[in-house]
Amino acid sequence: MSGHSGRFRRWLSRAPGRSAIPGTTAAGSGTGAPQEEPSPGSGEGQRVRRSWLTRSVSREVFLLQLVLVVLLVAAAVVVFVVQTQRDTMTDARHRTLAAAESFAHSWGLQEALNSPDPTAKLQPLAEEARKASGVDALIVYKLDGITLTHSDPRQIGKHVIGPYAEAARGKSFTRTFNGALGLSVVSAAPVKDSSGRVIAIVAAPVTVEKVQKSVNRQLPLFLGIAIVALALAGGGAGLVSRRLRRQTHGLGPAEMTRMYEHHDAVLHAVREGVLIVGRDGRLVLANDEARRLLDLPADAEGRAVDDLGLDHRTAGLLASDRIATDEVHLAQDRLLAVNKRSTSPYGTHQGSVVTLRDTTELRWLSGRAEVARERLRLLYDAGVRIGSTLNVARTAEELAQVAVPRFADIVTVALQDPVLKGEEPAGAGTELRRTALAGLAPDHPLYRVGELLAGVPGTPVAEGDRAGSIVEPDLAAASAWRSQDPDRAQRILDHGVHSLAVVPLRARGVVLGTVDFWRSGSSPPFDEEDLSFAEELVGRAAVGIDNARRFTRERTMAMTLQRSLMPRGLPDQEALEVAHRYLPAQAGVGGDWFDVIPLPGARVALVVGDVVGHGLHAAATMGRLRIAVHNFSALDLSPDELLGHLDELVTRLDRQDEDADDAPAITGATCLYVVYDAVSGRVTAATAGHLPPAVVHPDGRVEFLHSPVSPPLGLGTGLPFETAELTLPEGSRLVLYTDGLVENRGRDLDTGLAALRAVLAGQDRTPEDTCATVMRELLPARSADDVALLVARTRRLDPSHVAEWEVPRDPAAVGPVRNACVRQLAEWGLRHLAVGAELILSELITNAVRHGAGPIHVRLLRTRSLFCEVSDGSSTSPHIRQAKDTDEDGRGLFLVAQFAEQWGTRYSARGKTIWASLAIGADAPAAEEEPPEKGAE
């Protein structure tokens, strides 16, 4: 055995008679006397006896503690019972004496005693006092011993026998004796007259049985506490016994000796160095393998690790408290894997254990593994970083940046022009455009970003699908590469670039471009293994670039479609001053839209809608809904009727498309339809699941025009839509918007509406300024949803441009009204329209008188056009038709259509209105230039 074994054993058993392992006995005695060898076959018997003794000692300790606890608990119970009984008897004496004296000195007692029937007066008082004081009886005796009161009525009138002589002498006393109620504690007090003479005795007894019951009621609680204390003490004794068994480990001297021998054999026979370093930085133990690996001197144990001639990095690790796991250290020509752990959790000696393993032969394998690990990490980072945005150029830049400098010193990406525009890549031979570049100084000789690269024969793109990856380990010797552009090739070589790998960007079997990897300076040249990794890296990036290309194409198509479907300009009208904004979402084109639709009779419809989702489907759906609203508004329907027809249309379209897998339902679209009448200032609004419009009054007050709640379009509920109406003063602003303006992930709807109210309130702004302020204050930097905003400031039609007449239902009334209308046109300077207007009014009024119902109302409106309106109470609408030669009527509406620019019918709750418009013309004279005629009706 090595000499270190003895030193290690001496170190473990440094304290005489004490084992290095807690709870065990040392192998030798404190005096160093040798231990006798155990006889054969005696080991098992000694283990049994020692185990029995260990268990016996713990059992004796347990029983001793248990007996002590039982004795203490029993003594406590006895003391408690005795003390409680004593205290209860004392309380009974005090209570009976107080009751007797209190009753003896009570007011009116002497008068009752002197009455003809003392018992009748005293018995109720005595019973009441007995119950109040808690005694068993209040007994009143005369000096002759006759009982006047008693808790047992049978005892009243009997002669009492007892030790009452002391009370008869005028002195209170307390005694315990066996009376009529049994063994009792009795207190007696004399009753004295005004002269001090004793005239009666009051006794208050409490039975001993009642006192004992009071004691017995407290005894279970104390016994329960005693049992709990006994259980806790027993559990504690059990834990002490268990701890004692764990400390002994059940090991004897023979087992300890055998353990030391095995420990020495394992310590010095393993092919791994073991060091134990103390808290003070001195070497405590080193096995043979550690001495060989570190070339330690013979007297290394006990010396500081800094004095052992070790490498400063290794010595610093051994002297510090730092934990190490498989750290690689160089010891002379060996590469050692070092592990270090603290010994403090496993023993009383504070220090550290160090293991050394020679890994010199694994250096080459570890280098290869490190390269593989680094490339796997690079592939993972590429998967995370490349494709973070759906932008073709940005994805190409991410590919170039992730590969520099971990794989190549320079990376360039060139893509086809159609790919950059989101279009399908062209065939072979297409020119490439430099899209991304990373790793070069500003004075580099390569093509700049944005420059066009000609497709040179022999390159992967020029060869098309037949081309593969190319690697040039030595560019200086690559004649084909140098011949493509000798001057630029020489400048590249002068820049220090010496190796090139070209990999085509291929997705879905089509080449999108190329990626060039360059190495310069001291970097190793590319080989076939590097080329394989480059293909893997580029293949992953190609998917991201192709996804970005396809997204760009879809976004471009959607934006083109949306621009073609959205209003390109606002129509001319005089009722509202309108401004608008539309902001597409960052994620793609959405389905928000708005519209301004002039209506006859100085009215304007404002429309805002929202289609759930983004992309082509949302844009196409938005266009379908916008066209439908235009068509329905041409019918001059009320807002609720229009939304009802639109809901039916959407439901019908959903049913037609429900069998098509690629046709999502339109369900989820919302719409707000608002009609403003410039004559009356009346606003009528109806909503299909859309947010309410905001109304800003001229004084800066803001309110929301809440229509009755209605579901979104296409749900097929069949519920009618309802309207909300409000009359606005001139100069008010109507604000219509979509939910992207007031709601996002960081702000709920109520908060957004409150913020919109705050932005709109206050000073008066033009619609254009209002749009700019709202978009600036409410929208984040990057909006996840598209936003449509429409702001309209109301105007009122000049009352002088409105003329109205009520017409009796009499054919004779047609002429006067017609003449009055002609005179009104003359006042407005519109005589050139008199003939057409007179014919139209004559026909419309005559039809209303003949076929309509009262009341009949005629109105002329002068706006940019002249509107002639005839209203009646009938809902029957006339229809234009081609009259036959034999027909005597049916040509009136035909003539109206010939003279009028437009004509139509709209319905209301009170009937219908037939209107016709005439173009005024730019050369019409102004009203103020021609004085009105007098005498107009």
Side-chain angles (χ1 to χ4, degrees), residues 86-116:
R86 179 180 178 185
D87 293 343
T88 306
M89 292 295 292
T90 302
D91 178 68
R93 292 187 182 96
H94 293 164
R95 186 154 29 100
T96 54
L97 183 59
E101 289 184 346
S102 298
F103 196 76
H105 294 85
S106 61
W107 182 82
L109 181 60
Q110 296 181 19
E111 182 181 354
L113 289 173
N114 296 328
S115 64

Side-chain angles (χ1 to χ4, degrees), residues 347-569:
T348 58
H349 299 281
Q350 295 184 353
S352 58
V353 176
V354 181
T355 60
L356 310 171
R357 185 172 68 256
D358 190 358
T359 59
T360 305
E361 66 277 8
L362 300 178
R363 179 182 300 178
W364 181 82
L365 292 177
S366 64
R368 300 289 295 175
E370 182 62 27
V371 172
R373 187 185 303 111
E374 176 61 27
R375 292 192 173 178
L376 286 175
R377 189 180 297 113
L378 177 57
L379 288 176
Y380 172 78
D381 293 342
V384 173
R385 294 178 55 184
I386 298 176
S388 60
T389 62
L390 291 174
N391 181 279
V392 176
R394 179 57 187 163
T395 305
E397 292 173 0
E398 291 169 347
L399 168 61
Q401 292 169 0
V402 78
V404 175
R406 298 162 66 180
F407 177 69
D409 298 312
I410 305 167
V411 176
T412 60
V413 181
L415 298 175
Q416 297 183 22
D417 272 343
V419 174
L420 291 172
K421 298 175 183 178
E423 301 172 359
E424 289 291 337
T430 305
E431 292 181 338
L432 301 179
R433 189 173 299 277
R434 179 60 47 80
T435 308
L437 188 149
L440 276 177
D443 59 343
H444 65 84
L446 298 178
Y447 288 99
R448 307 283 174 172
V449 173
E451 291 184 357
L452 196 63
L453 286 70
V456 180
T459 63
V461 175
E463 295 296 329
D465 294 341
R466 300 186 303 273
S469 302
I470 299 174
V471 61
E472 293 289 352
D474 187 5
L475 287 178
S479 58
W481 174 78
R482 292 171 62 92
S483 63
Q484 293 180 4
D485 191 347
D487 294 338
R488 187 180 297 273
Q490 187 59 46
R491 291 199 305 270
I492 292 175
L493 293 174
D494 295 341
H495 207 75
V497 179
H498 58 76
S499 184
L500 169 65
V502 181
V503 180
L505 263 167
R506 194 187 307 272
R508 298 182 295 109
V510 180
V511 175
L512 309 177
T514 60
V515 183
D516 297 344
F517 299 92
W518 312 77
R519 284 183 179 174
S520 61
S522 60
S523 300
F526 288 110
D527 54 19
E528 293 298 329
E529 186 176 350
D530 293 329
L531 186 62
S532 177
F533 173 78
E535 291 175 344
E536 176 70 20
L537 180 62
V538 172
R540 297 191 177 192
V543 176
I545 292 177
D546 189 57
N547 289 339
R549 178 194 64 80
R550 298 172 69 180
F551 172 78
T552 302
R553 180 185 62 181
E554 181 178 343
R555 180 180 173 85
T556 302
M557 293 173 60
M559 292 186 67
T560 303
L561 176 62
Q562 187 183 48
R563 281 195 297 266
S564 66
L565 296 176
M566 289 285 284
R568 300 186 180 182

